[in-house]
Amino acid sequence: MIPQRLIASKRAGEEIDPAEFRSFLAGYLDGRVEDSQMAAFLMAVCFNGLGDKELAVLVDAMIRSGESLDRDAGPPGPRVDKHSTGGVGDKVSLPLAPLAAEMGMVVPMISGRGLGHTGGTLDKLESIPGFETRISLERFHAVLRDTGCAMIGQTREIAPLDRRLYALRDVTATVASLPLITASIMSKKLAETLDGLVLDVKVGSGAFLSSAEEARALAEAMVRVGASRGLEVTAVLSAMDRPLGRAVGHGLEVEEAVECLSGGGPEDLRELTVELAAEMALAGGLAASLDEGRGAAEALLASGAALERFCRMVSAQGGDPGFVASGRGLPAAPLQRPVLAARAGVVAAVEPRELGYALVALGGGRTRQDQEIDPRAGFRLEVQVGQEVEEGRPLAVVHGAGEDRIAAAERAVAGAFRIAESADTDGLPLILERLSASENSRLG
Ligand code: URA
């Protein structure tokens, strides 16, 4: 296998020989293929895609690059997980995993770090003092047995090829590709040995694949990969034409997740969390209908039971849950600056992608693979799409460190808000559609 020949084939839009492709992927893990060659290949895939056979080779190589979780090492019960295709302010996994565990599911969640302009669950969790996402499989199973949910990243043992490709795609603008997203998500989830999987496929300008048609094609591809390997997948298409919730940035998003787990927090975050929990309960056979699942999820958020489960998971993974009761302990930014409306009018749009890249520039994301991120950096949004604002009213508050970075972030955040005479649209419905191999229904 000659890497540059294989890259040239993909650049020319040709189909790659399966054996050559396997050797190229294995070569990336054993050092025969270097980062620059893989980045060039990934960019060629972004332009020319992968055929069905090539996608199957990629998914298979990604799963086989590591181990699959042993269900006998975990507790009994339906194993169900959820994964999002990536959004801005999307902290749903944080309340959802303990909520689903409280509902009776076993949730062995393998998550990712920030990707492109979107934030990652692992980076958010690591803003909790002491929280360890890099734990051994043995410990992961012990946490799962104790709390019903555990959250880790790709490791040397689980989906190592996704781990390497994911970090490279993050900094080379090679995320937005249907086959690459499909393989990345489905390899991790298939390695979890699940009974059911719910996917939150984002639609809108903040999603990697923005249009409803692209998002639907992505959802269908992932449902098909699941079906071909015996995993029932349900995909929910949800809005990402604006950020989810009010907080964007790691520590701030953990705070907001705790609000949601306490039965409060922004309505959109709560509604999506409840909807996905209901889908998971249906997939795991724990609810006879979505309505029944929604009712159970709402009750467990309101009672504080899901919050208590979250605190147990935080402790089990080495974190200090003291911040939940005291409101102190998460890393706080030294500087907080309001961004004021330059004119009166109606908030016509809050561009998620602009906010996501502003967070990267503020230190809350990576521009190099080995970079540490600043868990204090972020934005708290003070107004929503459709709301009337006076000139000088705070639109958002920037949290961060360093005068230059803060000033740049203030400009970027101001640019993300569009204030107009009137809002020409209310935006996408929060939940647009659901798809599965057995049924396909359109909502909203
Ligand atoms: N989430 C993943 O795990 N991978 C992607 O490529 C996109 C979102």
Side-chain angles (χ1 to χ4, degrees):
M1 180 276 306
I2 299 174
Q4 55 271 44
R5 195 157 79 187
L6 182 140
I7 298 163
S9 287
K10 191 32 75 189
R11 191 189 60 204
E14 292 163 9
E15 189 170 324
I16 307 165
D17 173 70
E20 290 266 300
F21 193 17
R22 272 186 221 106
S23 169
F24 179 72
L25 295 167
Y28 185 53
L29 284 178
D30 67 24
R32 282 176 296 129
V33 172
E34 52 183 54
D35 268 357
S36 58
Q37 293 171 316
M38 184 53 85
F41 174 77
L42 295 171
M43 190 57 88
V45 173
C46 284
F47 286 116
N48 291 328
L50 289 179
D52 286 351
K53 278 195 211 131
E54 293 168 318
L55 176 59
V57 169
L58 180 59
V59 172
D60 201 60
M62 289 174 86
I63 298 172
R64 285 171 191 264
S65 68
E67 295 171 36
S68 292
L69 296 181
D70 174 6
R71 57 179 310 145
D72 293 340
R79 288 167 79 97
V80 190
D81 194 9
K82 154 330 278 196
H83 202 87
S84 156
T85 57
V88 175
D90 181 2
K91 70 278 297 170
V92 166
S93 292
L94 274 62
L96 183 60
L99 173 60
E102 196 58 34
M103 292 167 82
M105 286 166 255
V106 177
V107 189
M109 193 179 271
I110 303 173
S111 300
R113 299 193 176 277
L115 197 56
H117 63 280
T118 69
T121 299
L122 297 182
D123 294 326
K124 291 170 203 186
L125 287 168
E126 286 178 0
S127 65
I128 300 172
F131 196 101
E132 294 169 79
T133 59
R134 293 172 220 250
I135 55 178
S136 67
L137 273 190
E138 199 182 328
R139 178 140 171 240
F140 177 72
H141 281 124
V143 176
L144 204 55
R145 283 194 299 274
D146 284 352
T147 65
C149 56
M151 298 167 92
I152 54 165
Q154 313 95 315
T155 64
R156 278 183 214 288
E157 297 160 289
I158 293 280
L161 183 53
D162 181 54
R163 176 168 169 249
R164 294 277 312 279
L165 294 179
Y166 193 98
L168 188 63
R169 288 167 64 217
D170 176 33
V171 294
T172 55
T174 51
V175 180
S177 150
L178 183 152
L180 296 181
I181 297 174
T182 298
S184 167
I185 293 180
M186 293 309 293
S187 62
K188 284 192 284 288
K189 300 294 119 173
L190 285 161
E192 291 176 359
T193 324
L194 298 171
D195 297 314
L197 172 64
V198 176
L199 294 171
D200 179 9
V201 180
K202 299 296 188 189
V203 183
S205 56
F208 288 115
L209 302 181
S210 309
S211 70
E213 291 70 33
E214 290 171 303
R216 197 174 299 121
L218 174 61
E220 284 167 356
M222 293 192 286
V223 167
R224 266 200 312 276
V225 168
S228 72
R229 289 170 178 269
L231 176 63
E232 171 78 19
V233 179
T234 304
V236 174
L237 270 56
S238 78
M240 188 34 67
D241 57 340
R242 62 231 179 223
L244 184 68
R246 300 289 185 105
V248 176
H250 306 92
L252 295 175
E253 291 192 41
V254 170
E255 272 176 28
E256 194 167 85
V258 168
E259 287 169 24
C260 176
L261 280 160
S262 311
E267 214 176 297
D268 57 349
L269 174 61
R270 202 170 56 248
E271 190 184 330
L272 187 56
T273 303
V274 165
E275 191 65 22
L276 294 170
E279 288 284 5
M280 289 172 75
L282 203 60
L286 292 172
S289 68
L290 281 176
D291 263 348
E292 188 186 321
R294 289 182 194 115
E298 269 158 12
L300 293 169
L301 289 176
S303 71
L307 179 64
E308 202 259 328
R309 178 80 64 148
F310 173 78
C311 293
R312 273 169 54 203
M313 181 188 72
V314 168
S315 294
Q317 291 198 224
D320 179 357
F323 74 93
V324 170
S326 69
R328 286 189 308 276
L330 290 176
L335 299 174
Q336 296 185 12
R337 291 279 163 70
V339 175
L340 307 179
R343 54 168 288 195
V346 176
V347 180
V350 183
E351 267 308 323
R353 193 173 287 255
E354 300 301 318
L355 284 180
Y357 279 128
L359 181 65
V360 174
L362 193 57
R366 298 175 182 80
T367 52
R368 291 189 320 272
Q369 291 189 64
D370 55 356
Q371 210 171 335
E372 291 289 317
I373 57 155
D374 183 352
R376 306 166 302 177
F379 317 115
R380 195 175 280 286
L381 310 180
E382 299 291 325
V383 295
Q384 287 170 295
V385 174
Q387 197 171 326
E388 282 191 26
V389 290
E390 296 296 319
E391 183 184 334
R393 172 181 175 149
L395 300 174
V397 178
V398 176
H399 294 237
E403 284 294 345
D404 290 352
R405 277 185 157 184
I406 291 276
E410 282 180 83
R411 286 192 296 277
V413 170
F417 281 84
R418 192 157 59 79
I419 314 273
E421 290 303 315
S422 64
D424 38 10
T425 159
D426 290 342
L428 295 170
L430 181 63
I431 294 157
L432 293 92
E433 206 169 299
R434 69 190 286 274
L435 283 128
S436 68
S438 45
E439 53 178 314
N440 178 357
S441 48
R442 208 167 278 200
L443 312 168

